[in-house]
Amino acid sequence: MSASKLAAHSARCSTAVGSPIDTIVSRYVDYLRARRYASDTIQRYLASLRHFARRLDKRLTLDDIDDALVMEFVDVHLPHCRCPRPCMRHVNTVRAALRHLLSVLKDEGLSNAGRAQLHTPVDIELELFRHYLVDSCGYAQTTCCNRLWHIRNFLDSVFGQEAVTADQLTSTDIENFTARYFKGRSHATRLTYCVDLASYLRFRGLHGDDTRALLAAIPKMAPPMPARLPIAMTNRELDLFFAAFDLTSPIGMRDFAISRCLADLALRRMEVVRLQLGSFDWQNGTVTLTHTKGGRERKLPLPVQTAKALIRYLRYGRPDTSSRAVFVRQIAPYDKPISAVAINDLIRSAFVRAGLDERFRGVHALRRTAATRLVHCVIELAPVEPGAMDRHTST
């Protein structure tokens, strides 16, 4: 079905006469078509828009459609929907359709989301803190986001919508916050909150505030109980894991190549996501990582088995796409790299298929396995001094 026919079909079926969404249906369909969504999927998304349009107040305009309105419809209306049939009620489908609607509105300049809005005092304070984390500390984006989220919780609990003034903070504020957010959380999460609070208070100290008493009020976390060494996969388990991928399907070829990068090169998920076609020097057998956790460029040797898996995927499994990312989505929206969450899911699924899910769960098991195998290789290749074993046995 063509885009014009889809738009006409939506207009005929819409029961929301005069709905503001009717004016951008054609643009919405073009947006989905450009991302190569199937016609059936576009129809379901249009049905979701019609359901959403029924609930809109007649006085609302496109400017009034924002994240809050969408969230209210998905989280409040859908679970208790009694709208007359036919209407789309599938939560994931409706949420995806409305997310695309917000993107179209933003592209067309019709959404308040892309316009400058008034910032609360907490927002302004967090923006200053973000510049400190990025410019002075050089933290990665993920670390900054997590730290800002924790500090936002802290500042909101103390100041709310009022002005943020560090000299009004007291040790009691620190104690009340940690007591509330420590409840039911692991030792590692509690330690993270303490580190983030200390980072923020040091930031305020650089701005002339006396935060010594506040820093002293942060709980001193006792070391965790001694844990057993991380478990690495044996050669047999690794063989079972690699055998769990279907190398006759494009998705199986992609997932197998990702797994080889994780297990052979000890890459992190985001390092796999950020691999580009130009990252590989096939002639010299190397791969260059430019977006690492430490922000430094690294060049690694490319094992033969990893190269073979990559070549198989690039030749027979990778879809036609304008993206320069090595690993891309196999379903719409196309032309986008695979996400870190998707990598975690595909590795977990492979553990289940291999019957290893009781021992291994996450992606990091492959990184630990690669490190363990490397240590074993170093031990095996290390030269032994003459008489070293005699001295060892005599002691």
Side-chain angles (χ1 to χ4, degrees):
M1 186 179 293
S2 65
S4 59
K5 290 182 179 179
L6 277 170
H9 177 77
S10 174
R12 289 195 304 269
C13 295
S14 177
T15 58
V17 180
S19 167
I21 298 178
D22 294 342
T23 60
I24 61 165
V25 168
S26 296
R27 176 68 188 91
Y28 183 80
V29 173
D30 292 340
Y31 171 89
L32 296 177
R33 281 292 186 190
R35 285 151 182 80
R36 292 188 279 174
Y37 278 92
S39 297
D40 291 343
T41 303
I42 297 178
Q43 286 284 21
R44 289 194 292 271
Y45 286 174
L46 290 175
S48 301
L49 292 193
R50 291 194 294 273
H51 187 185
F52 179 63
R54 293 177 186 175
R55 301 291 302 177
L56 290 180
D57 191 305
K58 298 295 184 181
R59 295 169 294 179
L60 292 180
T61 65
L62 293 178
D63 285 342
D64 299 316
I65 300 177
D66 55 11
D67 292 319
L69 194 62
V70 168
M71 186 179 302
E72 180 184 5
F73 179 78
V74 174
D75 296 339
V76 179
H77 171 71
L78 282 185
H80 309 284
C81 176
R82 295 294 183 270
C83 294
R85 295 182 181 275
C87 65
M88 177 60 69
R89 292 195 176 105
H90 191 271
V91 174
N92 290 339
T93 301
V94 174
R95 181 185 289 113
L98 297 182
R99 185 177 68 246
H100 291 308
L101 174 63
L102 293 175
S103 298
V104 172
L105 292 176
K106 185 176 181 180
D107 292 343
E108 295 293 316
L110 300 173
S111 172
N112 288 322
R115 303 174 188 171
Q117 299 181 4
L118 293 176
H119 291 285
T120 65
V122 171
D123 291 331
I124 297 174
E125 178 74 2
L126 290 175
E127 183 65 15
L128 295 174
F129 185 46
R130 185 185 68 81
H131 282 295
Y132 163 75
L133 295 176
V134 174
D135 300 335
S136 299
C137 301
Y139 286 125
Q141 181 180 358
T142 304
T143 303
C144 293
C145 291
N146 293 336
R147 186 158 297 184
L148 289 171
W149 174 255
H150 292 163
I151 299 305
R152 176 181 290 278
N153 292 336
F154 171 65
L155 295 179
D156 284 340
S157 67
V158 177
F159 298 104
Q161 297 296 319
E162 299 178 359
V164 178
T165 50
D167 56 355
Q168 293 184 4
L169 289 173
T170 64
S171 301
T172 303
D173 295 328
I174 302 288
E175 294 170 359
N176 292 338
F177 175 77
T178 53
R180 183 166 60 254
Y181 278 86
F182 278 15
K183 187 176 181 179
R185 286 179 167 83
S186 66
H187 181 277
T189 302
R190 296 177 180 181
L191 182 61
T192 301
Y193 270 99
C194 292
V195 171
D196 294 347
L197 282 173
S199 176
Y200 174 71
L201 294 177
R202 286 193 297 268
F203 157 72
R204 292 310 316 171
L206 292 176
H207 284 70
D209 297 312
D210 187 3
T211 58
R212 289 173 294 181
L214 299 175
L215 286 168
I218 297 177
K220 301 297 186 293
M221 298 299 299
M225 295 295 291
R228 56 185 174 86
L229 292 175
I231 301 176
M233 301 173 69
T234 63
N235 291 336
R236 179 180 175 278
E237 289 172 335
L238 202 57
D239 292 339
L240 290 173
F241 172 76
F242 286 136
F245 295 95
D246 180 11
L247 299 183
T248 62
S249 69
I251 292 181
M253 296 179 195
R254 182 199 63 186
D255 295 351
F256 179 73
I258 289 174
S259 300
R260 296 252 45 146
C261 289
L262 294 168
D264 299 336
L265 300 175
L267 300 187
R268 298 179 176 89
R269 289 181 304 171
M270 287 309 300
E271 291 172 342
V272 173
V273 170
R274 293 166 179 166
L275 283 175
Q276 302 289 305
L277 295 176
S279 300
F280 297 92
D281 184 348
W282 300 104
Q283 185 174 1
N284 295 316
T286 60
V287 55
T288 302
L289 307 178
T290 55
H291 298 87
T292 62
K293 184 175 181 179
R296 299 178 181 179
E297 183 177 292
R298 286 193 298 150
K299 182 174 290 187
L300 302 175
L302 185 62
V304 175
Q305 64 271 21
T306 312
K308 289 181 177 179
L310 286 166
I311 292 172
R312 182 194 296 111
Y313 162 67
L314 293 175
R315 284 182 175 176
Y316 309 113
R318 191 172 185 267
D320 293 333
T321 174
S322 59
S323 175
R324 296 293 296 174
V326 173
F327 300 108
V328 294
R329 291 175 56 92
Q330 298 286 142
I331 59 176
Y334 294 93
D335 302 327
K336 287 187 176 182
I338 190 172
S339 67
V341 174
I343 291 179
N344 202 55
D345 290 341
L346 70 89
I347 295 299
R348 285 186 178 181
S349 298
F351 281 140
V352 172
R353 294 194 301 271
L356 302 172
D357 52 308
E358 292 186 0
R359 279 172 51 81
F360 307 103
R361 296 182 180 179
V363 175
H364 217 65
L366 298 178
R367 183 173 168 86
R368 291 197 301 266
T369 300
T372 302
R373 296 174 68 192
L374 182 60
V375 170
H376 289 168
C377 289
V378 171
I379 294 175
E380 292 174 0
L381 296 176
V384 180
E385 299 180 14
M389 293 302 298
D390 295 338
R391 292 197 300 270
H392 177 71
T393 54
S394 64
T395 58

